[in-house]
């Protein structure tokens, strides 16, 4: 009668299949041979039966025998010992254990029968006895063939499992090999029946439209379709346990939905979507906020056979932004004068190209209108050029009107808006006008990198800090034609305006380990005290800061300098200075005056020129001790695979720091002489410069600072 030593076998993803054959279209199959267990009883029996060796020597000996037999079984496969080839990555694992069992040997007592008459009944009875054997100690081997795959959900198919026993070590190994005959055919048949997971996977990505538009609900979503092929060119699908595709879903402006999947799995910042019977995995990305144009990069991945088969590629979704521009033909007018205003509504591509939006009704608000008039008074429907035309006539009591146009797409949280102004100038001052300045610092980062062989790092940032100034000024008279520069600060008689500031910062970091080394408390005598667990630890951190501020701008907050932009001939000027010194030394005062006039003429420029190039420096001075309220939020998540423990922490708080800070810009333009002293000064700036970001500056690109603005001054007409 057979007695077996207890055996515990861990089966991964319980499935059985019997198959055959292997083609040679793909890379050579690699099988890792794992010796799972060798106890003291087996070692003692081996030493008694074959001669004493160290435990390590027996481990090497048995492993070598198993690999040799398997290699004869299937020479097409590359077999290696997991004990000696720890850096190799197998496609399949052949796991085996070796124990002892008792089997029947020589017959001690043959089976027999005894006939007798039962006293009680008088019937003839027959009793039989079993054959008795000598019990012999034998080797008992259990082996399993398992797909090595990192896929989530689990696709580590258990292909086959077999048990064998024999009195001899080599005999039990040979019997196991025969039960897996031929291993290459078993693997090939499995891959033909179950195409998932894919061997050496490749992805094909397609989109249902070229771009996303924010205008309508349906146009705000993009269906991304992924097909996966194996190295034989077959598109992969298996009913019930199909190929997973990983769609990045931790995106600031998008919500990802799985087609017909109510509760999808999430893995490493991605949503897991399974390939369906149509050989597709479909992810639907919906824009949920923001009006700016965007070229959104998305990470898409899948997995296959072997631990390192997880692959990722970069997809791209184009989002057209919305833009409203309000453009008056005049920024300064006098009472009873007319300003024509054009409101333009466009879709904007990430590359800056614009397309007009027709047939949309805009919400237009006029602020500051007292006794002036504007037409039309309603039904602001954009024409075929995406424009709405307004006509403004300044009233006697009007000082400044602000035109704001906005549009909110249906069932969308954000509003696109644009505004501008028209100043109604007073005759109280010699010069009247206004200036506006816009300084916007944008910092965007989307970095994904392999920080080490086992550690992946992700950094994302989306910051925008804006300062906008709009000021109306009245100035005393000056004549730039006869002066090289005008210190305009002391000439400002009146100034009124505001600075508006907005701060928004959004920072996200994530680290994910392919595997983590954990302490193995249950490790046996021949196992290492630490084991690698895959996938490994991960952590994410998301922090935001936001705030806004406003300041009143008066004349004491403004420094203004107007300078002729004339390039002097330094050599000629130095020559005149030398001649003037020589004339002064000789007492020729007439020559001194003549030379002085020539020098003044060089500085003043051509007095007959009605258009003089100028540079204007504007500085806004503020009290930097005044602080503003900033709201900060944070959310941290992590998972420790060794402790199998999730940790989450989130919260918010407020701090006080100054958002509105001093600013200065330089504009270039012209001073234009008009008839009867009706002179005009126009200058502007529109430039972008790079500066270091304040978040992972060594890995993220520089921030951009866009500076724009204009100043318009007009001298009172006689």
């Amino acid at each position: 009668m057979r007695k077996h030593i207890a055996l515990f076998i861990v089966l991964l993803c319980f499935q059985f299949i019997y198959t055959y054959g292997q083609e040679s279209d793909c890379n050579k199959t690699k099988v890792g041979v794992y010796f799972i267990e060798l106890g003291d009883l087996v070692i003692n029996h081996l030493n008694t039966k074959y001669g004493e060796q160290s435990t390590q020597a027996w481990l090497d000996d048995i492993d070598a025998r198993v690999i040799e037999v398997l290699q004869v079984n299937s020479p097409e496969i590359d077999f290696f010992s997991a004990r000696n080839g720890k850096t190799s990555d197998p496609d399949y694992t052949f796991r085996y254990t070796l124990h002892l069992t008792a089997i029947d040997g020589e017959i001690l007592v043959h089976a027999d029968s005894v006939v007798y008459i039962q006293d009680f009944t008088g019937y003839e009875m027959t009793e039989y006895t079993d054959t008795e054997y000598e019990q012999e100690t034998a080797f008992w081997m259990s082996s399993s063939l398992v797909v090595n795959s990192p896929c989530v959900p689990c696709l580590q198919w258990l292909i086959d499992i077999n048990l064998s026993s024999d009195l001899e070590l080599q005999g039990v190994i040979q019997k196991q090999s025969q039960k897996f005959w031929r291993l290459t055919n078993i693997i090939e048949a499995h891959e033909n029946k179950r195409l998932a997971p894919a061997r050496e996977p490749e992805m094909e990505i397609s989109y249902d439209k070229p771009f996303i538009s924010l205008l309508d609900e349906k146009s705000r979503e993009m269906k991304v379709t992924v097909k996966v092929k194996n190295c034989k060119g077959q598109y992969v699908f298996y009913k019930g346990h199909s190929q997973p595709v990983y769609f990045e879903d931790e995106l600031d402006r998008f919500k990802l939905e799985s087609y017909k999947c109510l509760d999808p799995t999430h893995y490493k910042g991605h949503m897991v979507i399974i390939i369906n019977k149509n050989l597709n995995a479909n992810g639907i990305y919906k824009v949920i906020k923001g009006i700016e144009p965007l070229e959104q990069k998305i990470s898409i991945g899948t997995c296959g056979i072997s631990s390192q088969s997880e692959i990722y590629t970069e997809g791209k979704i184009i989002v057209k932004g919305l833009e409203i521009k309000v453009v008056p033909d005049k920024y300064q007018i006098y009472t009873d004068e007319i300003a024509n205003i054009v409101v333009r509504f466009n879709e904007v591509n990430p590359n800056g190209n614009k397309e007009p939006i027709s047939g949309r009704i805009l919400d237009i608000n006029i602020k500051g209108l007292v006794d002036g008039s504007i037409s039309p008074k309603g039904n602001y429907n954009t024409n075929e050029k995406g424009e709405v035309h307004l006509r403004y006539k300044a009233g006697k009591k009007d000082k400044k009107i602000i035109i704001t146009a906005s549009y909110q797409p249906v069932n969308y949280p954000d509003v696109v808006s644009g505004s501008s102004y028209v100043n109604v100038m007073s005759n109280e001052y010699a010069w009247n006008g206004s200036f506006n300045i816009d300084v916007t610092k944008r910092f965007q980062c989307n970095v994904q990198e392999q920080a080490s062989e086992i550690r992946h790092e992700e950094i994302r940032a989306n910051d925008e800090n804006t300062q906008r100034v709009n000021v109306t000024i009245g100035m005393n008279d000056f004549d730039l034609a006869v002066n090289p520069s005008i210190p305009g600060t002391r000439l400002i008689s009146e100034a009124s305006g505001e600075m508006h500031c907005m701060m928004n910062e959004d920072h996200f970091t994530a680290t994910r380990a392919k595997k983590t080394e954990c302490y193995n408390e249950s490790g046996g005598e021949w196992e290492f005290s630490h084991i690698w667990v895959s996938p490994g630890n991960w952590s994410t951190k998301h922090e935001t800061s936001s705030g806004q501020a406003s300041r009143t701008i008066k004349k004491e907050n403004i420094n203004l300098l107007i300078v002729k932009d004339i390039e002097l001939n330094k050599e000629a000027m130095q020559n005149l200075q030398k001649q003037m010194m020589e004339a002064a030394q000789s007492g020729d005062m007439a020559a001194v005056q003549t030379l002085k006039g020539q020098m003044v003429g060089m500085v003043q420029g051509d007095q007959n020129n009605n258009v003089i190039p100028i540079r204007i420096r504007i500085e806004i001075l503020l009290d930097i001790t005044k602080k503003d309220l900033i709201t900060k939020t944070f959310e941290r998540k992590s998972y420790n695979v060794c402790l199998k423990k999730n940790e989450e922490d989130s919260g918010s708080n407020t701090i006080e720091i100054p958002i509105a800070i001093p600013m200065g810009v330089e504009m270039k333009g012209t001073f234009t002489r008009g008839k009867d002293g009706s002179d005009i000064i126009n200058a502007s700036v529109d430039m972008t410069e790079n500066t270091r970001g304040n978040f992972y500056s060594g890995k993220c690109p520089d921030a951009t600072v866009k500076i724009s603005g204009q100043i318009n001054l007009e001298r009172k007409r006689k």
Side-chain angles (χ1 to χ4, degrees):
M1 192 172 183
R2 300 188 178 187
K3 297 179 181 178
H4 295 279
I5 298 175
L7 172 66
F8 176 75
I9 302 173
V10 178
L11 304 180
L12 301 174
C13 304
F14 302 93
Q15 293 288 337
F16 276 87
I17 188 165
Y18 182 77
T19 53
Y20 56 89
Q22 180 178 2
E23 297 177 2
S24 58
D25 297 337
C26 307
N27 291 329
K28 192 173 183 179
T29 301
K30 292 193 293 184
V31 175
V33 178
Y34 290 76
F35 197 166
I36 302 301
E37 187 175 353
L38 183 65
D40 290 340
L41 290 175
V42 181
I43 294 293
N44 292 336
H45 184 65
L46 287 167
N47 286 333
T48 301
K49 189 174 181 67
Y50 299 111
E52 191 164 338
Q53 290 191 92
S54 67
T55 299
Q56 187 64 42
W58 277 119
L59 289 169
D60 292 338
D61 185 0
I62 296 169
D63 234 16
R65 290 172 185 244
V66 171
I67 290 174
E68 182 181 9
V69 170
L70 290 175
Q71 199 68 70
V72 172
N73 175 310
S74 297
E76 304 90 341
I77 295 176
D78 180 12
F79 294 94
F80 66 90
S81 170
R83 296 177 62 251
N84 300 321
K86 294 182 177 62
T87 59
S88 297
D89 183 20
D91 302 316
Y92 295 85
T93 61
F94 184 87
R95 300 171 181 267
Y96 70 96
T97 62
L98 190 63
H99 294 274
L100 298 180
T101 187
I103 64 174
D104 296 334
E106 296 292 331
I107 297 176
L108 299 177
V109 179
H110 290 279
D112 199 0
S113 62
V114 178
V115 179
Y116 64 94
I117 302 299
Q118 191 178 40
D119 294 338
F120 178 74
T121 63
Y123 293 120
E124 184 179 279
M125 305 294 292
T126 302
E127 286 189 0
Y128 298 92
T129 60
D130 292 333
T131 303
E132 294 185 15
Y133 297 90
E134 179 184 3
Q135 294 297 299
E136 296 188 55
T137 301
F139 297 101
W140 185 79
M141 181 179 282
S142 167
S143 306
S144 61
L145 180 64
V146 179
V147 177
N148 182 31
S149 173
C151 289
V152 176
C154 176
L155 290 179
Q156 289 181 318
W157 300 104
L158 175 60
I159 300 174
D160 204 354
I161 185 169
N162 286 295
L163 309 173
S164 298
S165 61
D166 196 272
L167 293 172
E168 300 298 330
L169 176 61
Q170 190 66 25
V172 75
I173 294 173
Q174 291 284 4
K175 285 182 178 179
Q176 278 295 82
S177 176
Q178 291 169 7
K179 290 185 177 181
F180 283 97
W181 189 266
R182 284 186 347 111
L183 201 64
T184 184
N185 296 343
I186 294 173
I187 290 174
E188 179 65 17
H190 165 78
E191 291 185 3
N192 286 339
K193 182 176 181 180
R194 289 188 174 96
L195 296 181
R199 178 188 285 273
E200 301 170 34
E202 294 181 4
M203 292 184 290
E204 295 179 359
I205 302 173
S206 60
Y207 308 87
D208 70 335
K209 62 186 71 166
F211 57 83
I212 283 178
S213 170
L214 303 178
L215 292 172
D216 302 295
E217 286 189 84
K218 195 63 180 175
S219 66
R220 284 178 220 136
E221 62 183 49
M222 174 85 74
K223 183 168 78 170
V224 181
T225 298
V226 179
K227 293 175 178 283
V228 177
K229 286 197 301 186
N230 60 23
C231 55
K232 300 174 186 177
Q234 298 169 304
Y235 288 104
V236 176
F237 166 73
Y238 183 70
K239 186 177 181 181
H241 299 276
S242 193
Q243 180 80 19
V245 177
Y246 310 136
F247 291 80
E248 184 177 6
D249 65 346
E250 293 181 356
L251 300 172
D252 180 55
R253 288 181 58 184
F254 288 86
K255 177 183 178 182
L256 174 61
E257 294 182 356
S258 171
Y259 187 66
K260 294 185 178 180
C261 185
L262 299 178
D263 188 21
T265 301
H266 293 268
Y267 171 65
K268 293 184 179 180
H270 293 67
M271 181 184 290
V272 181
I273 300 178
I274 305 300
I275 286 181
N276 58 37
K277 63 182 179 181
N278 297 319
L279 309 179
N280 298 327
N282 298 308
I284 300 174
Y285 285 91
K286 293 184 177 181
V287 181
I288 57 174
K289 65 178 181 178
I291 53 93
E292 298 82 8
L294 178 66
E295 183 179 291
Q296 179 65 59
K297 296 177 181 178
I298 54 173
S299 170
I300 300 175
T302 191
C303 56
I305 297 174
S306 84
S307 298
Q308 304 301 320
S309 62
E310 196 170 276
I311 61 169
Y312 290 88
T313 189
E314 193 176 82
K316 184 169 62 177
I317 297 176
I318 302 298
V319 179
K320 287 187 176 182
L322 300 178
E323 175 191 79
I324 292 179
K325 292 287 187 180
V326 180
V327 184
D329 64 344
K330 301 174 186 175
Y331 287 91
Q332 283 79 231
I333 60 176
Y334 289 93
T335 300
D336 294 329
E337 281 193 338
I338 303 296
N340 294 304
I341 304 160
V342 179
V343 180
R344 298 188 176 97
F345 188 23
N346 295 314
E347 279 191 307
V348 185
N349 288 303
N351 61 10
N353 292 338
K354 300 180 181 182
E355 300 171 12
I357 302 172
S358 62
R360 302 282 172 160
I361 297 178
L362 304 183
D363 182 13
I364 296 180
N365 178 266
I366 311 297
K367 183 180 178 181
L369 190 66
V370 181
D371 60 346
S373 63
I374 195 157
S375 60
K377 298 185 180 297
N379 192 28
Y380 302 119
N381 197 10
T382 57
N383 60 21
E384 67 279 0
K385 294 182 179 180
E387 296 178 347
V388 173
H389 292 263
L390 304 174
R391 183 177 183 272
Y392 167 59
K393 183 177 181 181
K396 291 182 174 59
K397 297 180 181 180
D398 290 348
K399 300 295 183 183
K400 175 182 181 180
I401 67 165
I402 298 176
I403 310 100
T404 302
S406 61
Y407 180 82
Q408 183 172 22
V410 176
N411 294 328
Y412 196 68
D414 293 328
V415 178
V416 57
S417 64
S419 65
S420 190
Y421 65 92
V422 176
N423 286 314
V424 181
M425 295 183 291
S426 168
N427 290 322
E428 183 179 351
Y429 305 109
W431 288 85
N432 293 278
S434 64
F435 65 83
N436 62 82
I437 304 170
D438 188 319
V439 178
T440 300
K441 180 180 179 180
R442 289 189 176 92
F443 173 65
Q444 292 184 322
C445 181
N446 189 352
V447 174
Q448 298 193 39
E449 64 177 11
Q450 201 67 32
S452 67
E453 289 186 3
I454 63 172
R455 183 169 173 268
H456 182 268
E457 188 174 81
E458 182 178 356
I459 304 166
R460 294 203 303 263
N462 187 14
D463 300 353
E464 183 170 317
N465 296 303
T466 301
Q467 287 183 278
R468 291 189 174 95
V469 174
N470 197 324
V471 178
T472 300
I473 59 175
M475 300 178 64
N476 295 328
D477 201 12
F478 60 86
D479 189 355
L480 188 62
V482 297
N483 292 286
S485 64
I486 301 296
T489 304
R490 60 181 177 82
L491 297 175
I492 298 175
S493 297
E494 184 65 34
S496 64
E498 287 185 317
M499 173 189 283
H500 294 284
C501 305
M502 293 191 67
M503 169 189 173
N504 287 289
E505 296 182 352
D506 192 319
H507 298 161
F508 175 85
T509 58
T511 58
R512 297 180 175 89
K514 288 185 177 179
K515 58 182 180 179
T516 297
E517 191 175 20
C518 299
Y519 179 67
N520 183 20
E521 294 183 354
S522 60
E525 182 178 354
W526 313 117
E527 295 187 41
F528 293 99
S529 60
H530 290 80
I531 60 173
W532 288 97
V533 178
S534 180
N537 294 342
W538 60 263
S539 65
T540 63
K541 181 169 68 174
H542 186 199
E543 297 178 328
T544 67
S545 299
S546 61
Q548 55 185 354
S550 61
R551 299 286 189 272
T552 298
I553 305 299
K554 298 181 179 180
K555 68 176 184 177
E556 52 265 27
N557 300 112
I558 303 170
N559 275 343
L560 177 65
L561 177 64
I562 306 173
V563 180
K564 288 182 180 178
D565 195 10
I566 298 174
E567 186 174 346
L568 293 176
N569 187 327
K570 293 183 179 180
E571 185 177 348
M573 179 64 75
Q574 290 173 353
N575 187 40
L576 287 174
Q577 289 175 336
K578 182 179 179 181
Q579 293 180 43
M580 191 169 66
M581 289 178 62
E582 292 174 351
Q585 290 174 356
S586 63
D588 188 352
M589 301 310 296
V592 169
Q593 292 299 320
T594 300
L595 292 168
K596 184 177 180 181
Q598 292 178 14
M599 292 175 66
V600 171
M602 288 184 65
V603 173
Q604 291 181 344
D606 185 0
Q607 294 297 300
N608 295 320
N609 192 347
N610 289 330
V611 179
I612 302 172
I614 59 172
R615 287 182 289 116
I616 299 179
R617 174 73 183 177
I618 302 174
E619 294 178 349
I620 304 298
L621 310 178
L622 298 171
D623 180 5
I624 61 174
T625 63
K626 185 175 181 179
K627 297 181 179 180
D628 305 290
L629 200 63
I630 304 297
T631 300
K632 299 178 71 68
T633 69
F634 71 92
E635 182 181 43
R636 301 184 184 96
K637 298 180 180 180
S638 65
Y639 181 69
N640 188 313
V641 296
C642 301
L643 302 177
K644 296 182 180 179
K645 182 179 179 182
N646 280 299
E647 291 188 0
E648 294 188 12
D649 188 20
S650 62
S652 63
N653 65 298
T654 57
I655 62 173
E656 289 187 344
I657 59 173
I659 299 178
I661 58 176
M663 62 191 304
V665 298
E666 185 174 289
M667 304 182 187
K668 289 187 176 184
T670 57
F671 170 80
T672 304
R673 293 174 173 175
K675 293 182 179 180
D676 300 324
S678 299
D679 302 336
I680 295 174
I681 289 177
N682 291 311
S684 63
V685 60
D686 189 358
M687 60 179 290
T688 301
E689 57 187 20
N690 293 333
T691 185
R692 287 174 65 89
N694 57 356
F695 185 67
Y696 281 87
S697 58
K699 296 183 178 182
C700 291
D702 287 344
T704 60
V705 180
K706 181 175 176 57
I707 304 170
S708 61
Q710 60 184 9
I711 182 169
N712 300 283
L713 298 172
E714 185 173 342
R715 179 182 269 162
K716 181 178 65 177
R717 297 166 295 182
K718 292 183 179 179

